[in-house]
Amino acid sequence: MSNLSYINEEAGAWNTYLAQIDRVAPYLQHLADYIDTLKRPKRALIVDVPIVMDDGTIRHFEGYRVQHNLSRGPGKGGIRYHPDVDLNEVTALAAWMTIKTAVVNLPFGGAKGGIRVDPRSLSTRELERLTRRYTSEIGHIIGPQKDIPAPDVGTNQNVMGWIMDTYSSNKGYTVTGVVTGKPVHLGGSLGRVKATGRGVYITGREAAKKNNLAIDGAKVAVQGFGNVGSEAANLFAQANAKVVCIQDHTGTILNNNGIDLDALRIYMEEHPGVLGFPGATPITNDEFWDAEMDILIPAALEGQITVERAEKLKAKLVLEGANGPTYPEADDVLLQRGITVVPDVICNAGGVTVSYFEWVQDISSYFWTEEEINQRLDKLLIQAIHDVWNTAEAKKCTLRTAAYILACERILIARKGRGIFPG
């Protein structure tokens, strides 16, 4: 149950997060005294975002920025443009960012933002006006040493460029480090676009080794085929896995012999999604969960793996490319069935890791090659997944609980060390 007055008791994402925190509490020993720190955000901002539409009318949109925890450093987290964005969701996503940055041991806290809007319904000019007004509304709580936004669902590098320019204009000088995920020519980092998907592959590959699951010939199913799902699929295919089933917003396709991803990419240049691709058979979205697979990559939105779906899932390994795709009760079912879950807070941490690299490069005004970035990313994530795996074995718990143990220890040690002002 939620303990925040503005959180709806039906808020699935936030309650999922709280359930995960409650599960880790028994492992925290004396640090458990500080656990309420993790159950409430430090700051939650709701803003009105009025803009003039192309037809001259004025429309109002609701925007949010939540800073969940800043004990280990400035906030870090994306900005989401989606019709379903609300304060409940943004608060949960900010909390997961707190955990994620701590698991990978980055010097950040967790934050998240968003606007309740369908960006596809706006023209480019309207989208720019919306972004610039939103940036001005939240500008007093973001900054390179306060809170650094990044792209998320419905936003991209162009949106980040508008945010950087608006913030810089209000400051009177260029501040490249206020956001990450920018275009490279505006201080963005090489390797950023593909980083989250690469992280899914790297952590999945290491988990597969631990489970004695061969990638060569493994059947992979991917839900969500944006930057994350498509890049993870490509890397698994390059390692000779077969991507057999893909689902996106247009529908689901299946080819048990493996989908030709190069041909699919060409097809999608002229079509809105995967549905209709001639190299695969269309199936219903519900049938996606019945497909023959060894590895499942949920890379869409939260709340996708329910108890019912977990009970029939044929995968041996689940790689959470999305944030919060598995309900806690479904986690229990997967555990009972011997299905290993690499949790979102480490599995999809490649993006925030390269965001950290971008932030460092912006501060120093010294930029690395893509090869250097990928080497640093791989090294950091391999170390992180091994730390989580070793903790899981030592504590005899799931990888998710182990990840939360490591993260919560790091966060609460910082909270305890900083003390409470005034004392």
Side-chain angles (χ1 to χ4, degrees):
M1 301 292 283
S2 167
N3 55 6
L4 299 179
S5 60
Y6 61 79
I7 294 291
N8 189 312
E9 294 296 349
E10 301 300 319
W14 177 248
N15 285 336
T16 294
Y17 165 77
L18 290 179
Q20 291 164 347
I21 292 298
D22 287 339
R23 289 185 177 208
V24 81
Y27 297 92
L28 297 179
Q29 299 177 357
H30 65 282
L31 290 173
D33 294 341
Y34 293 85
I35 203 162
D36 274 357
T37 298
L38 300 170
K39 292 185 175 183
R40 55 191 69 239
K42 177 179 179 64
R43 185 176 292 115
L45 180 65
I46 306 174
V47 295
D48 176 40
V49 188
I51 64 167
V52 178
M53 307 299 285
D54 289 345
D55 63 4
T57 62
I58 298 174
R59 285 185 63 189
H60 291 256
F61 300 88
E62 190 161 278
Y64 313 92
R65 188 68 184 175
V66 175
Q67 294 167 350
H68 174 257
N69 188 281
L70 306 180
S71 294
R72 302 183 73 249
K76 191 78 191 75
I79 290 175
R80 176 172 294 193
Y81 289 177
H82 192 274
D84 295 333
V85 165
D86 60 23
L87 190 56
N88 300 339
E89 177 189 60
V90 174
T91 303
L93 293 169
W96 279 319
M97 284 302 300
T98 298
I99 301 298
K100 186 182 301 183
T101 55
V103 169
V104 193
N105 211 12
L106 303 179
F108 289 138
K112 206 76 175 186
I115 301 175
R116 189 184 304 131
V117 62
D118 181 355
R120 294 172 295 185
S121 69
L122 302 184
S123 70
T124 300
R125 291 291 302 276
E126 290 168 338
L127 196 63
E128 180 176 352
R129 292 187 204 113
L130 181 78
T131 299
R132 291 184 181 278
R133 181 58 188 251
Y134 169 71
T135 303
S136 292
E137 295 294 343
I138 68 168
H140 63 290
I141 68 167
I142 64 172
Q145 299 299 331
K146 291 182 177 181
D147 179 359
I148 307 109
D152 198 82
V153 175
T155 60
N156 56 26
Q157 64 174 5
N158 294 330
V159 172
M160 296 305 108
W162 293 330
I163 293 175
M164 187 203 82
D165 181 69
T166 306
Y167 182 88
S168 297
S169 296
N170 289 336
K171 287 292 184 181
Y173 55 92
T174 299
V175 187
T176 57
V178 66
V179 291
T180 58
K182 306 178 294 296
V184 171
H185 58 271
L186 293 178
S189 177
L190 296 171
R192 173 62 182 85
V193 173
K194 297 181 178 181
T196 305
R198 183 178 183 86
V200 172
Y201 170 71
I202 293 297
T203 56
R205 183 192 67 191
E206 297 302 306
K209 288 178 185 176
K210 294 284 190 179
N211 273 353
N212 296 316
L213 173 62
I215 298 295
D216 192 344
K219 291 185 175 182
V220 179
V222 183
Q223 185 199 39
F225 209 62
N227 284 341
V228 179
S230 61
E231 178 62 16
N234 287 332
L235 290 172
F236 273 104
Q238 289 172 22
N240 295 322
K242 296 179 181 180
V243 179
V244 297
C245 193
I246 299 174
Q247 181 180 104
D248 71 359
H249 67 281
T250 63
T252 306
I253 58 173
L254 174 72
N255 184 335
N256 283 317
N257 294 318
I259 296 169
D260 185 335
L261 297 183
D262 290 332
L264 177 60
R265 184 164 51 251
I266 293 171
Y267 174 83
M268 291 179 66
E269 289 176 357
E270 298 181 356
H271 297 84
V274 302
L275 193 64
F277 174 60
T281 302
I283 61 175
T284 68
N285 287 342
D286 285 342
E287 288 174 320
F288 173 86
W289 303 97
D290 295 318
E292 294 290 336
M293 65 182 83
D294 298 300
I295 299 172
L296 169 65
I297 304 174
L301 297 173
E302 60 270 7
Q304 297 300 301
I305 303 181
T306 61
V307 168
E308 181 183 8
R309 289 170 175 173
E311 287 172 343
K312 61 184 180 181
L313 199 63
K314 297 180 174 67
K316 301 179 180 69
L317 183 62
V318 176
L319 309 178
E320 293 187 335
N323 291 313
T326 309
Y327 285 105
E329 298 82 2
D331 244 353
D332 295 336
V333 173
L334 295 175
L335 175 63
Q336 292 165 6
R337 296 189 60 215
I339 299 173
T340 299
V341 178
V342 180
D344 50 2
V345 291
I346 185 169
C347 189
N348 67 30
V352 71
T353 302
V354 175
S355 283
Y356 166 61
F357 295 163
E358 180 177 333
W359 180 71
V360 170
Q361 291 170 88
D362 284 338
I363 289 174
S364 64
S365 295
Y366 180 81
F367 292 85
W368 310 333
T369 66
E370 187 165 359
E371 181 181 6
E372 288 175 315
I373 295 222
N374 287 338
Q375 288 175 348
R376 293 170 191 263
L377 173 63
D378 293 359
K379 181 179 180 181
L380 196 152
L381 289 183
I382 289 171
Q383 182 63 55
I385 187 65
H386 281 261
D387 287 346
V388 170
W389 197 281
N390 292 338
T391 300
E393 290 187 337
K395 303 290 186 180
K396 295 180 171 55
C397 62
T398 65
L399 294 181
R400 190 185 312 281
T401 300
Y404 273 70
I405 291 171
L406 282 177
C408 291
E409 284 179 347
R410 289 167 179 165
I411 298 161
L412 297 181
I413 286 172
R415 173 67 277 172
K416 181 180 179 181
R418 293 178 64 153
I420 296 177
F421 174 81

